[in-house]
Amino acid sequence: MVAGADDIRHARYDTARVAALIREAPPEDPVFLFRPEALTRRAETFKRGFPGHVSYAVKANPSTDVLDTLVRSGVTAFDVASVAEMRAVRECLPDARLHYHNPIRSAAEIAEAKSLHVASWSVDRLSELDKLGALPPTTQIAVRVTLNRGGAAYDFGTKFGAGPDMAVALLKDVSARGLSLALTFHPGTQCTDPHAWTDYIAACALIARQARFRLAALNVGGGFPSREAAEGPVLAPIFDAIRSAIATHFPDDPPTLWCEPGRAMVADAAWLLLRVKARCGHILYLNDGLYGALGEWRDMPVPGQRSTFGPQGVERGGNPQPFTIFGPTCDSLDRVPGTWELPSDIAEGDHILIRAAGAYSTALVTAFNGYGTRQQIDLRTVKGGTGQGRLAG
Ligand SMILES: *Cc1c(COP(=O)(O)O)cnc(C)c1O
């Protein structure tokens, strides 16, 4: 179902384009390499494979290029966490469906969100549900459930989410207000375990039974893993698990299903090209680090194959060795935890290509120490796609 062979072929072409770019005009500063076709293919994968509707979690990559490409690919619903994200979506698609699934909101944010006609609001406590005040009767309230189970690279359940008892109480309250009943959860980002979804779906079915309500909708969150096509399909087993869990736990009258992927939708949509500023033994000083596009590495290793290019865009062939990676700022915290395996002959001036760098990268770049600016190049505009590029080093 995931177009694995297609993805690999495109990745090869794009790798050759990166080599050509380095040959012609080696970038000095970090560059994002936008891959709209990869994004379109991923949107198709979700639309065809997920047994319900797809909304995109804007926070993973809010760039206009990404939003426009998704809209052109037929995505019409967006999970937004702030008024700024709502406005960014409305700019690209004026009648987009907005899911405001950040359960803590100020009164001012609520007022603005109402004027922007949000379709769904998540809640995880009664006080915040009260704060919403009057809403049109078609409005969906998605009660955010947490089970505090592991299985993801980064657990989201510690900040938001109601336990099952509170979820039952919230559903009753939502029903008393005459609003549309939904449950939602987020298994944690980069979650590779299909049981995370099946456990949550079973728990949601139990909550709905205990509250004695029929759910209009069930939103199974984001959390879908990003992996490169070379590693085989990772989404299909999760989609299958969700499909069969719904059949088991909601045998009659299943709710409308939604998912709201962030990472898995955009990870492959951009690659990141960095440069080695200096090499000192097994320490590399790069032109980007934890205050830039590698911000997420502070919390978790980010999947995505790397390639190293020497002069003239020729890939380095030395045996892989562990290197300590420092970013460009003067803060000693600006160091990637652990080490990266890179060719032993890597040298100052070389470029490191990080694939699958489209999620939580552009969005996290800071201007600390004056390093905030980022160029973005649409890889399709780079000549030199001979198909000769290698995927693995
Ligand atoms: C962040 C977030 C998502 C997207 O998560 P990914 O792990 O990037 O897929 C979806 N829904 C909500 C409510 C979120 O906060």
Side-chain angles (χ1 to χ4, degrees), residues 6-7 10-11 14 17 32-45 61 63-75 264-271 358 376-382:
D6 240 25
D7 286 344
H10 280 91
D14 284 350
R17 288 189 169 112
F32 279 110
L33 304 164
F34 183 47
R35 306 174 69 232
E37 288 153 348
L39 181 53
T40 300
R41 282 197 301 280
R42 189 49 60 100
E44 279 298 316
T45 298
N61 188 326
S63 80
T64 312
D65 288 331
V66 164
L67 296 180
D68 276 339
T69 304
L70 286 172
V71 166
R72 274 201 300 279
S73 312
V75 174
M265 188 69 96
V266 290
D268 249 357
W271 290 355
Q376 177 163 296
I377 296 177
D378 185 332
L379 253 189
R380 287 173 309 179
T381 64
V382 178

